[in-house]
């Protein structure tokens, strides 16, 4: 059995599966249930100044896909709407009762040194393992110059991070917003401010849908809607890319990353860890199915690690990072071709029509003695993978890399590149 | 053998009877339909379309269900098959579209095309009971004989093209086999009549009841009085067993038993035997036997002279009968019907086997089954007499039925035919296609 214990920026946990700062971590009641289910840690739902914020009724929107619920999810809920003192008392008790679990407290107060300074001491006094700075909330709080309004300005990120490091001894994780053009800028700002780690991504600004009867964005609040924060399985690709971007930068390589974004299974978690994450945070999957999902996350990750011979998380953490390169590093002489297993083919014709209409006319639709038959035309196939993606049958269409006939050639050296770097003279 | 035949009505409590003859396969819920629609791969050159005798754009309508465009889905179905509602319920999809579904090849679990089709049509009938718009009137009058699926499919298509159609129907109600010949639980809640009303809502179609070809009507008169004639009168004859005892009380044609059952509102008034033997291997045998069971018959046996693979009832239909407690005995041919006091009391059978030429022949071995009621379901035949004049047929025939070409033209100019009275498979959906093709041919001929 693989060892899943986690040491994330000095914060220890029995496993890397933490619940993200969100409704599931708003109260001791929920958090205790999560710990009983086996979660390795929680980031307590964001605390703010008293008096507490007020939340609206009708808070979540969702994207269903072909009858499958919650492929994507958004919310317009704000930070905790419970009194600060109540949260602090519960955090203290929970950490005392569950000393082996990571308990991190998410914070968001107005962007002044006094405001941050005055909340840090009582939080530190709870005995929590660290704080996460909520610089990502993209709705509501950002209109009040908090949340993403801070996270979108690297100078503010650095400034607030520095205040937190200056006025407390706690570990500081900076949670980054994806609603930005280049994730490296706030990541570097966090590092410059002395952050112990970053976590990403927060939610993506979104409208999940428009109610065509009420003519209002969803979720509808008394006939009107506002943009919310998008999360769930649909955002995983965005999150993976941003995690990878930070992990592969030489100057950020030592900055621990807590991966967040659509993680629903052990496999999703393994992908984030392979791209450099030291822990992962989950919200939507738990909100969809309850805390019990962590059972298979732990069990599945452990079994997969055993099958690969990885003993600890560090054995494979970041292993995919060196292979996440810029486009200009890709080999233009690499060639792969689609192959159709005729015995597995069910004759749906999707490969043909996709290629014929939208790609390279490289799959012929034939009738052989009246029976449908689809065949790849190698001379036309560019190896784009489209057919393999649309084919509904596992392993029916596979992409087969062709033997290399030419040495690796990248764009900077390609003859078609007007900016080509000339090869050194002999 | 007991002393007296046991035939009685009201064998089951009314609530049980009502449940037994309610919808056998309830409709998909809206969510079920969306989930099922998502299983459709939206194939290119989809095999299911090719397998549908009416060529419904199946992936097209299923995609529309998936997007919530139920109106578009239903209209797409009706363009190809105006009887889409009943075909969704009675088609043997397991040997047609669903057999061809690529999911069958993949996982032996096809998309439930019939159930999805029902979802779309039911929605339209509820929300838009008169969806049809006719072309401007042409002034042409067309005669249709038979208000079954073939005749009404033809009439509807002709009406859409702006023609005026008179349908002559021998029976008091329209619908043909949908009304008289199909098990009640397949077309529950008076669906056959509701569908005919939906189809007739197009306008331009008049049905003249109690008019039989060869009695109140003649083909030459129709030919003279209308721009074209479509014959869709089905099969009026039933085969006899040709054995002793066929006139005994309790011996009935299965089609009559089914028709009476369909026309009797209060099923508690229908007499049925305690022990019922059904002879035959088609869907009529299945429907008669299963409905006898559901009326409360204790012991129902279908006897067929060949094996399960040769039965014209599909495997699903055979399974359905067996699930309903009907026993199916293969490889036996009836030898004699046994009676007492004028009532049938049993049947003796000769076991059969295949001879070298592949025919089922008696093997000499014999057995008997007790029976209070015997239902004959050994096939229906086309009665050509109404088409005769001066002792000779007016139309050419093929395999004992009216011969037609690809456009459903008979040998007589201006006369078209379709449905069970022409050669081919005897399915509602095939009859609809015949009527549709004939209507298009008639339209071209009378406007050309």
């Amino acid at each position: 059995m693989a060892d899943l214990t986690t040491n994330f920026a000095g914060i220890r946990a029995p496993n890397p599966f933490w619940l993200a700062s969100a409704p599931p971590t708003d109260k001791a009641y929920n958090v205790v249930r999560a710990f009983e289910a086996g979660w390795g840690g929680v980031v307590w739902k964001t605390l703010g100044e008293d008096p507490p914020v007020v939340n609206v009724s009708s808070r979540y929107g969702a994207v269903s896909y072909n009858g499958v619920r919650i492929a994507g999810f958004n919310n317009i809920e704000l930070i905790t709407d419970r009194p600060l003192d109540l949260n602090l008392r519960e955090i203290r008790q929970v950490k005392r009762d569950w000393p082996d679990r990571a308990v991190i407290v998410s914070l968001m107060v107005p962007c002044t040194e006094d405001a941050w300074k005055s909340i840090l001491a009582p939080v530190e006094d709870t005995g929590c393992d660290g704080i996460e700075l909520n610089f990502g909330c993209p709705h509501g709080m950002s209109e009040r110059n908090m949340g993403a309004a801070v996270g979108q300005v690297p100078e503010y990120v650095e400034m607030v991070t520095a205040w937190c490091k200056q006025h407390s001894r706690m570990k500081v994780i900076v949670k980054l917003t994806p609603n930005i053009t280049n994730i490296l800028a706030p990541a570097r700002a966090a590092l410059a401010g002395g952050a112990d780690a970053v976590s990403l991504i927060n939610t993506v600004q979104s409208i999940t849908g428009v109610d065509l009867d009420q003519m209002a964005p969803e979720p509808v609040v008394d006939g009107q809607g506002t943009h919310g924060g998008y999360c769930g399985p649909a955002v995983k690709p965005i999150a993976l890319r941003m995690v990878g971007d930070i992990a592969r930068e030489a100057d950020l390589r030592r900055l621990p990353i807590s991966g967040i974004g659509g993680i629903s299974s052990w496999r999703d978690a393994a992908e984030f860890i392979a791209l450099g994450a030291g822990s992962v945070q989950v919200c939507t999957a738990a909100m969809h199915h309850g805390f019990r999902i962590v059972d298979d996350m732990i069990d599945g990750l452990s079994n997969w690690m055993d099958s690969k011979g990885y003993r600890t998380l560090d054995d494979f953490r970041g292993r995919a990072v060196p292979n996440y390169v810029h486009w200009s590093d890709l080999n233009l002489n690499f060639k792969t071709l689609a192959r159709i297993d005729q015995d597995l083919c069910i004759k749906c014709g999707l490969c043909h029509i996709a290629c014929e209409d939208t790609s390279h006319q490289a799959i012929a639709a034939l009738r052989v003695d009246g029976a449908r038959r689809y065949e790849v035309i190698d001379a036309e196939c560019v190896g784009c993978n489209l057919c393999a993606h649309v084919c509904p049958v596992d392993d029916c269409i596979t992409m087969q890399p062709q033997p290399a006939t030419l040495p690796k050639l990248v764009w900077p050296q390609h003859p078609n590149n007007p900016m080509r770097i000339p090869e050194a003279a002999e | 053998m007991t002393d007296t035949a046991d035939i009685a009505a009201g064998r089951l409590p009314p609530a049980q009877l009502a449940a037994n003859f309610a919808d056998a396969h309830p409709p998909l819920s809206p969510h079920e339909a969306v989930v099922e629609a998502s299983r459709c791969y939206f194939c290119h050159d989809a095999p299911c379309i090719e397998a549908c005798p009416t060529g419904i754009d199946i992936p097209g309508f299923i995609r529309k269900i998936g997007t919530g465009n139920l109106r578009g889905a239903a209209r797409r179905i009706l363009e190809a098959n105006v009887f889409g509602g009943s075909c969704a319920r009675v088609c043997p999809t397991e040997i047609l579209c669903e057999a061809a579904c690529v999911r069958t090849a993949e996982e032996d679990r096809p998309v439930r095309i019939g159930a999805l089709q029902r979802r779309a049509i039911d929605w339209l009938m509820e929300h838009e009971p008169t969806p049809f718009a006719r072309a401007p009137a042409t002034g042409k009058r067309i005669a249709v004989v038979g208000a079954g699926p073939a005749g009404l499919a033809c009439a509807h298509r002709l009406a859409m093209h702006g023609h005026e159609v008179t349908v002559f129907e021998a029976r008091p109600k329209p619908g043909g086999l949908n009304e008289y010949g199909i098990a009640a639980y397949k077309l529950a809640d008076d669906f056959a009549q509701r569908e005919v009303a939906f189809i007739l809502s197009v306008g331009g179609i008049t049905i003249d009841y109690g008019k039989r070809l060869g009695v109140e009507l003649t083909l030459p008169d129709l030919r003279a009085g209308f721009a074209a004639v479509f014959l869709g009168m089905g099969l009026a004859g039933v085969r006899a067993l040709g054995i002793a005892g066929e006139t005994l009380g309790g011996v009935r044609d299965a089609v009559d038993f089914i028709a009476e059952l369909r026309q009797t509102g209060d099923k508690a008034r229908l007499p049925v035997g305690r022990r019922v033997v059904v002879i035959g291997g088609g869907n009529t045998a299945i429907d008669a036997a299963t409905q006898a069971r559901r009326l409360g018959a204790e012991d129902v046996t279908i006897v067929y002279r060949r094996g399960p693979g040769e039965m014209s009832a599909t495997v699903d239909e055979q399974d359905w009968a067996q699930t309903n407690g009907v026993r199916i005995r293969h490889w036996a041919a009836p030898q004699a019907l046994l009676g007492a006091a004028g009532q049938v009391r049993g049947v003796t059978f000769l076991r059969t086997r295949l001879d070298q030429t592949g025919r089922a022949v008696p093997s000499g071995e014999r057995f008997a089954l007790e029976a209070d009621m015997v239902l004959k379901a050994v096939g229906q035949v086309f009665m050509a007499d109404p088409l005769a004049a001066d002792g000779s047929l007016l139309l050419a025939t093929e395999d004992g039925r009216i011969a037609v070409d690809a456009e459903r033209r008979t040998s007589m100019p201006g006369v078209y035919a379709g449905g069970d009275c022409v050669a081919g498979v005897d399915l509602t959906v095939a009859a609809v296609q015949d009527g549709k093709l004939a209507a298009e041919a008639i339209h071209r001929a009378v406007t050309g």
Side-chain angles (χ1 to χ4, degrees):
Chain A
M1 167 116 186
D3 177 5
L4 299 187
T5 55
T6 302
N7 181 346
F8 179 79
I11 300 169
R12 294 181 184 279
N15 64 59
F17 300 106
W18 300 357
L19 286 167
S21 167
T25 60
D26 191 32
K27 298 191 297 293
Y29 180 83
N30 305 75
V31 171
V32 168
R33 286 179 65 86
F35 286 162
E36 285 169 351
W39 291 86
V42 298
V43 182
W44 204 280
K45 184 172 166 78
T46 308
L47 311 186
E49 291 181 329
D50 281 334
V53 301
V54 177
N55 277 303
V56 294
S57 190
S58 178
R59 301 179 189 180
Y60 304 125
V63 172
S64 293
Y65 188 73
N66 283 344
V68 176
R69 310 286 196 196
I70 311 188
F73 193 57
N74 94 344
N75 80 90
I76 57 170
E77 187 171 291
L78 305 181
I79 62 175
T80 183
D81 50 19
R82 306 191 319 145
L84 177 62
D85 185 54
L86 175 61
N87 276 309
L88 292 173
R89 275 188 280 123
E90 288 186 1
I91 292 165
R92 178 196 307 275
Q93 189 65 45
V94 167
K95 182 61 200 179
R96 186 171 297 166
D97 294 344
W98 299 85
D100 68 324
R101 310 301 169 96
V103 177
I104 292 140
V105 178
S106 175
L107 296 177
M108 182 198 293
V109 293
C111 209
T112 67
E113 189 168 2
D114 281 348
W116 282 95
K117 189 177 173 182
S118 59
I119 200 168
L120 289 169
V123 170
E124 189 163 8
D125 194 45
T126 63
C128 70
D129 295 295
I131 56 174
E132 185 182 79
L133 309 187
N134 183 342
F135 292 162
C137 182
H139 50 270
M141 302 310 288
S142 53
E143 294 173 16
R144 304 175 200 176
N145 299 319
M146 291 181 267
V150 177
Q152 287 164 339
V153 183
E155 292 79 4
Y156 294 169
V157 172
E158 181 179 345
M159 178 177 73
V160 177
T161 306
W163 290 338
C164 293
K165 287 308 292 182
Q166 185 185 340
H167 298 299
S168 85
R169 285 160 297 168
M170 288 184 287
K171 298 289 182 186
V172 175
I173 304 168
V174 175
K175 188 166 180 178
L176 303 179
T177 175
N179 302 302
I180 192 165
T181 47
N182 183 354
I183 198 69
L184 297 176
R188 288 198 169 104
L191 186 63
D196 296 284
V198 290
S199 57
L200 69 158
I201 56 174
N202 205 309
T203 55
V204 183
Q205 286 178 332
S206 60
I207 294 173
T208 48
V210 175
D211 184 318
L212 290 176
D213 297 316
Q214 300 190 66
M215 281 295 169
E218 295 170 335
V220 182
V221 180
D222 191 24
Q224 296 179 308
T226 189
H227 76 258
Y230 198 44
C231 54
V235 308
K236 184 186 125 188
I238 298 168
L240 278 176
R241 179 257 173 169
M242 290 185 167
V243 166
D245 276 4
I246 293 172
R248 74 178 176 187
E249 286 299 303
D251 60 319
L252 297 172
R253 203 160 281 165
R254 298 204 169 276
L255 184 63
I257 301 169
S258 187
I260 312 169
I263 295 164
S264 309
S265 69
W266 63 266
R267 182 179 292 277
D268 295 333
E271 292 175 23
F272 273 86
I273 295 168
L275 268 184
S279 73
V280 295
Q281 298 184 29
V282 175
C283 174
T284 306
M287 292 186 75
H288 195 168
H289 300 291
F291 292 142
R292 61 208 162 117
I293 59 168
V294 77
D295 166 66
D296 184 61
M297 289 179 158
I298 293 168
D299 185 46
L301 184 64
S302 173
N303 287 334
W304 171 78
M305 287 172 63
D306 287 348
S307 75
K308 291 287 185 184
Y310 298 131
R311 209 175 47 76
T312 70
L313 297 173
D314 282 341
D315 286 353
F316 75 97
R317 187 160 57 82
R319 282 250 184 155
V321 174
N323 293 325
Y324 175 45
V325 298
H326 295 278
W327 193 94
S328 62
D329 295 325
L330 296 174
N331 181 7
L332 296 169
N333 278 337
F334 172 77
K335 174 84 174 166
T336 187
L337 290 173
R339 288 288 172 260
I340 300 174
D341 183 332
Q342 296 294 343
D343 293 334
L344 291 177
C345 176
I346 58 171
K347 326 296 183 200
C348 70
L350 292 179
C351 56
H352 163 77
I353 199 62
C355 192
E356 192 71 12
D357 280 355
T358 69
S359 289
H360 301 89
Q361 297 75 49
I363 296 183
L366 309 173
R367 289 279 183 138
V368 180
D369 299 328
R372 294 165 176 79
R373 186 179 171 90
Y374 297 95
E375 286 185 357
V376 176
I377 305 165
D378 284 358
E380 301 296 331
C381 179
V382 304
C384 73
N385 302 342
L386 177 63
C387 56
H389 288 304
V390 301
C391 178
V393 180
D394 287 346
D395 302 325
C396 176
I397 300 185
T398 49
M399 302 305 299
Q400 290 194 352
Q402 302 300 296
T405 53
L406 294 166
K408 179 170 179 174
L409 176 64
V410 296
W411 178 243
Q413 273 95 47
H414 197 279
N416 287 18
N417 182 356
M419 315 287 278
R420 183 171 75 252
I421 301 163
E423 284 180 47
E426 292 284 321
Chain B
M1 230 178 263
T2 51
D3 290 341
T4 54
D6 187 348
I7 299 180
R11 290 189 182 275
L12 297 174
Q16 183 65 52
L17 283 171
N20 284 357
F21 290 94
D23 213 345
H25 302 287
L28 296 176
S29 73
H31 179 71
E32 278 180 310
V34 169
V35 171
E36 191 61 23
S38 76
R39 296 187 62 238
C40 173
Y41 289 136
F42 197 51
C43 295
H44 163 76
D45 185 20
C48 55
I49 302 178
E50 210 168 75
C52 174
T54 56
I56 294 172
D57 174 12
I58 293 165
F61 91 71
I62 291 178
R63 188 167 185 81
K64 290 171 190 290
I65 291 175
T67 67
N69 179 12
L70 289 162
R71 179 175 195 257
R75 293 169 75 99
R76 178 59 53 86
I77 294 160
L78 294 170
E79 283 167 13
N81 182 342
V82 76
F83 277 89
S86 53
C87 286
R89 290 162 166 82
V90 307
C91 256
T93 52
E94 65 274 15
I95 59 168
L96 299 172
C97 52
E98 292 179 15
C101 176
V102 300
R103 288 259 190 193
T104 300
E106 185 189 17
E107 54 181 349
D108 204 22
R109 209 165 64 89
V111 174
R112 295 175 62 192
I113 297 167
L116 286 169
Q117 179 165 315
R118 175 172 173 177
R119 163 78 182 137
I121 299 291
D122 283 1
W123 185 93
L124 191 75
M125 287 175 69
E126 184 186 338
H127 291 86
E128 196 176 336
T130 58
F132 307 108
R134 295 178 69 193
T138 62
K140 302 288 184 187
R141 295 175 64 241
I142 317 290
V144 168
V145 180
L152 290 182
C154 182
H156 184 270
R157 184 60 63 112
L158 289 166
M160 290 289 284
H161 283 308
H163 309 299
E164 286 294 312
V165 186
T166 303
V167 182
F168 299 99
E169 169 57 46
R171 303 236 202 189
K173 287 161 87 174
L177 289 180
N178 278 358
E179 176 59 33
Y180 293 99
I182 300 230
Y185 43 72
K186 288 183 187 168
L187 290 167
D189 305 320
D190 206 23
F191 186 79
Q193 291 309 307
R194 289 196 286 124
E195 182 176 51
V196 169
F198 175 71
I199 290 168
L200 294 180
S201 74
V202 67
I205 302 173
T206 308
I207 304 185
D208 197 354
Y209 295 102
K211 294 294 191 307
R212 286 163 296 177
L213 195 63
V215 183
E216 291 86 5
L217 312 164
T218 69
L219 184 55
D221 287 348
L222 290 177
R223 186 65 200 86
F226 292 88
V229 179
F230 176 80
L231 301 175
M233 61 282 222
L235 304 175
V238 286
R239 283 207 183 88
L241 297 173
I243 58 175
E246 268 192 89
T247 56
L248 287 167
V251 180
R252 301 187 67 182
D253 288 318
V255 291
D256 292 341
F257 173 73
I258 293 170
E260 182 186 1
L261 192 143
R262 285 295 304 274
Q263 298 308 308
T264 304
D266 179 6
K267 303 290 187 273
R269 295 199 345 256
L270 278 171
V272 68
R274 181 182 293 275
R275 293 155 305 181
V276 179
V277 169
V278 182
I279 299 168
N283 287 331
T284 302
I286 299 285
D287 284 0
T290 305
Q291 291 191 109
R293 270 290 291 164
R294 289 188 163 221
L295 276 177
E298 269 179 24
D299 186 88
V300 180
T301 306
I302 290 175
V303 185
Y304 178 59
R305 66 194 168 90
R306 295 161 72 97
E310 287 81 24
M311 291 180 80
S312 65
T314 65
V315 172
D316 281 28
E317 286 287 317
Q318 296 177 40
D319 287 350
W320 167 249
Q322 286 167 328
T323 302
N324 276 273
V326 173
R327 190 161 36 133
I328 303 181
R329 295 189 64 154
H330 299 102
W331 299 112
Q335 184 196 31
L337 296 155
L338 312 175
Q343 284 293 124
V344 73
R345 307 300 302 284
V347 193
T348 56
F349 292 90
L350 290 171
R351 290 194 194 282
T352 57
R353 56 178 172 77
L354 284 184
D355 70 3
Q356 294 91 329
T357 64
R359 288 179 18 174
V361 295
S363 66
E365 210 180 321
R366 227 175 67 130
F367 68 92
L369 293 178
E370 295 184 10
D372 303 300
M373 185 182 257
V374 174
L375 300 172
K376 301 180 287 180
V378 292
Q380 293 166 258
V381 291
F382 176 61
M383 302 299 279
D385 304 1
L387 296 172
D390 304 326
S392 63
L393 280 183
L394 299 169
L395 301 177
T397 59
E398 175 190 355
D399 297 336
R401 307 193 196 182
I402 300 169
V404 291
D405 67 9
E407 296 191 343
R408 308 307 190 258
R409 289 182 298 206
T410 69
S411 58
M412 180 185 283
V415 179
Y416 302 71
D420 289 353
C421 67
V422 304
V425 290
D426 295 341
L427 292 174
T428 306
V429 65
V432 172
Q433 178 70 353
D434 288 345
K436 182 177 94 184
L437 291 177
E440 294 296 351
I442 290 169
H443 175 63
R444 286 192 296 272
V446 301
T447 58

